[in-house]
Amino acid sequence: MGIRDDILVIGLGRFGQALAETLISLGHEVMAVDSDAAACQACSQTIGHVVQADATSPDALRQVGAGEFRTAVVAIGNDIQASIMTTYALVDLGIPRIWAKAITAPHGAILQRVGAHRVVFPERDMGVRVAHTMLGRTIDYVELDDEFVLIETTVPKQLAGKLIGEAQVRSRWEVSILCVKRPGGKFTYATQDTVLNLGDLVVVFGQKRKAEAFADLD
Ligand code: ATP
């Protein structure tokens, strides 16, 4: 049996479909599986390799060659039983990298216990991200783990015209400005000698409360 570098995506709801189409746009081969004929039909043009099968069935998974994949994503959310059974079947097949979508914390804990290597919470994470972008000067907000975040924000007025080193961003706010984007330009790596101008975008890395406080400066 050969080992395949393409990615197995199970479940073609909005999350699974967007994931599969993005992987394809990034140059990866994808095989998608969904038990629903209409869901398969709807994605057959954009995803190409779509198979209708019940992924909770180990036999069905074997028949579609699921055991040959190195990476699989379980994108079933609402049917928690199907999500857990599918994840368990993929673990049993020995797939070395299994990602699974969870809709609640207990669901995620069970997926992890069953053997998923990475559990994602798209609805929860997007809620957190959107809430932050509604406040202050935050444009984008990414939680890297429980402690650290990346925030895209604008330059606060009090730092306009200053060098990053001169403004003592690291010691005063305990955050690092990683890169800066001038209006109409591209992001470039920031150094101590980078000038911060009003209207520039910056990406800030730091502990949650510290980075949020920086993004809230006037
Ligand atoms: P999303 O929030 O991503 O739009 P959804 O809420 O529409 O998802 P989910 O219950 O998360 O629905 O299911 C996603 C997809 O998984 C659906 O297209 C569904 O047909 C498919 N699915 C559910 N159970 C199975 C299964 N046992 N085998 C294969 N696919 C399944």
Side-chain angles (χ1 to χ4, degrees):
M1 206 188 286
I3 294 296
R4 307 174 60 150
D5 271 334
D6 36 345
I7 296 164
L8 175 65
V9 176
I10 298 179
L12 289 171
R14 289 156 299 180
F15 174 78
Q17 190 179 343
L19 180 96
E21 289 175 1
T22 304
L23 288 168
I24 290 167
S25 75
L26 293 172
H28 295 273
E29 300 274 328
V30 167
M31 182 173 98
V33 174
D34 199 293
S35 53
D36 181 62
C40 292
Q41 181 61 33
C43 296
S44 60
Q45 294 293 317
T46 50
I47 298 176
H49 194 181
V50 181
V51 180
Q52 187 184 353
D54 177 2
T56 61
S57 155
D59 284 345
L61 284 179
R62 255 182 235 106
Q63 271 173 26
V64 302
E68 297 164 31
F69 287 81
R70 278 161 29 97
T71 306
V73 184
V74 182
I76 304 169
N78 291 320
D79 186 342
I80 291 182
Q81 183 173 333
S83 150
I84 293 167
M85 286 174 68
T86 300
T87 303
Y88 182 71
L90 295 175
V91 171
D92 226 30
L93 284 173
I95 295 181
R97 200 156 77 116
I98 302 169
W99 290 51
K101 159 185 155 166
I103 55 170
T104 63
H107 180 197
I110 293 168
L111 290 173
Q112 223 137 29
R113 185 63 74 87
V114 160
H117 304 104
R118 178 91 181 249
V119 177
V120 294
F121 299 84
E123 285 90 354
R124 182 200 68 183
D125 291 353
M126 190 47 81
V128 170
R129 203 163 160 180
V130 170
H132 280 95
T133 58
M134 291 168 70
L135 305 170
R137 298 186 341 280
T138 299
I139 292 163
D140 207 350
Y141 183 99
V142 180
E143 275 184 351
L144 300 178
D145 60 16
D146 287 344
E147 197 178 352
F148 286 94
V149 294
L150 282 174
I151 296 182
E152 183 184 352
T153 181
T154 51
V155 169
K157 279 198 205 100
Q158 58 181 282
L159 298 188
K162 293 195 171 151
L163 300 172
I164 290 178
E166 173 197 3
Q168 297 185 309
V169 172
R170 181 77 72 83
S171 56
R172 284 179 68 193
W173 290 281
E174 295 178 58
V175 298
S176 294
I177 296 180
L178 302 182
C179 43
V180 178
K181 186 178 181 179
R182 311 280 181 224
K186 291 184 174 172
F187 273 112
T188 54
Y189 293 110
T191 69
Q192 294 296 299
D193 299 324
T194 304
V195 180
L196 299 171
N197 293 316
L198 269 190
D200 290 351
L201 297 182
V202 290
V203 174
V204 176
F205 167 80
Q207 285 176 319
K208 249 181 226 177
R209 295 286 166 246
K210 308 246 161 84
E212 286 167 8
F214 182 83
D216 280 343
L217 292 174
D218 283 335

